[in-house]
Every structure is written in structure tokens, then in C-alpha cells.
Amino acid sequence: MKVVLNSLVPFKGFKAMFLFGILFVRNDLKHGLEEKDYNHEAIHGRQCLEMLGVFFYLWYVLEWLVRIPFYRFNVRKAYRNVSFEREAYGNERNKEYLSTRKMWSWIRYI
Ligand SMILES: [Zn+2]
């Protein structure tokens, strides 16, 4: 996974963001990325691959927008509950997850 350290992507308050096969990491992190963070982003990488890239981002943004009113316009809470995030947060500490994960597993988290 190619990693790009920078001060713009993602927004402050987030550690890293997987975009088009590249992991963008904020360069102002005190402790850098932990193993679980890399695992989290690798899960997104797999989701992205099986959604052929563009559909991953389309679905992600659509689901986030749909969830915002359900979380009383708390955009951060809506983001944490996007199915891709639920799968990634729920399994980021499991190092074996990607080796046993079945295709389209994120659907179970909708
Ligand atoms: Zn995520």
C-alpha cells in the first residue's frame, strides 16, 4: 500500500484516508498510525477493489448522506455508521480478518 504523508488529507481529526489505492496519512499525528489503523485501511482497500473503485466512493458518500438525518445531523456519527466503516472498525483489531473475509462482507453491516 502506497502511503503519502501530508497536512491536508484527511481533514484534521482524522488519521488516514484511503483514496484510489493510496493511503493518505496526516503528518501531524503524535504517534503515527497503529497496526489497527493500517488494517482498517486495508479493509477499505478490499472493499474498494470489490466495488471497482468508483462504486465504493459513490456508495460511501450516498450512504453517509442518507444516514446524516438519522443521526440528527451529527456527520461524524453518520460517518462511523456507514457500512464500510462499521466493517472496518469492527474488524480492524483482527489481523486475520482479511485472510478469512468473504467478498461483499460489508453488506452485512448496512
Ligand atoms: Zn474507515
Side-chain angles (χ1 to χ4, degrees):
M1 191 183 308
K2 186 172 167 46
V3 177
V4 174
L5 289 172
N6 74 98
S7 58
L8 298 171
V9 181
F11 295 122
K12 221 171 171 60
F14 294 91
K15 290 180 181 176
M17 185 179 201
F18 182 80
L19 270 179
F20 308 108
I22 300 169
L23 183 61
F24 291 89
V25 180
R26 287 199 63 91
N27 57 12
D28 57 0
L29 297 178
K30 274 187 188 160
H31 306 291
L33 284 190
E34 297 170 52
E35 194 176 341
K36 70 168 179 64
D37 300 320
Y38 282 107
N39 202 25
H40 181 105
E41 298 306 328
I43 293 169
H44 285 324
R46 189 70 65 81
Q47 295 163 339
C48 188
L49 204 66
E50 66 195 18
M51 295 288 284
L52 306 176
V54 67
F55 297 108
F56 170 79
Y57 296 106
L58 275 175
W59 186 286
Y60 192 113
V61 171
L62 273 174
E63 188 180 338
W64 178 62
L65 291 174
V66 167
R67 285 186 186 277
I68 288 174
F70 289 99
Y71 291 95
R72 298 180 179 206
F73 297 92
N74 182 332
V75 292
R76 198 173 180 96
K77 227 174 181 174
Y79 140 79
R80 281 289 297 238
N81 283 285
V82 168
S83 52
F84 296 125
E85 294 301 344
R86 282 180 172 170
E87 181 187 13
Y89 279 110
N91 297 288
E92 66 187 14
R93 291 178 190 278
N94 177 0
K95 291 179 209 159
E96 307 304 315
Y97 182 65
L98 280 179
S99 59
T100 57
R101 178 186 182 270
K102 291 194 171 89
M103 215 172 164
W104 312 108
S105 287
W106 61 272
I107 291 172
R108 291 185 292 129
Y109 294 84
I110 291 178

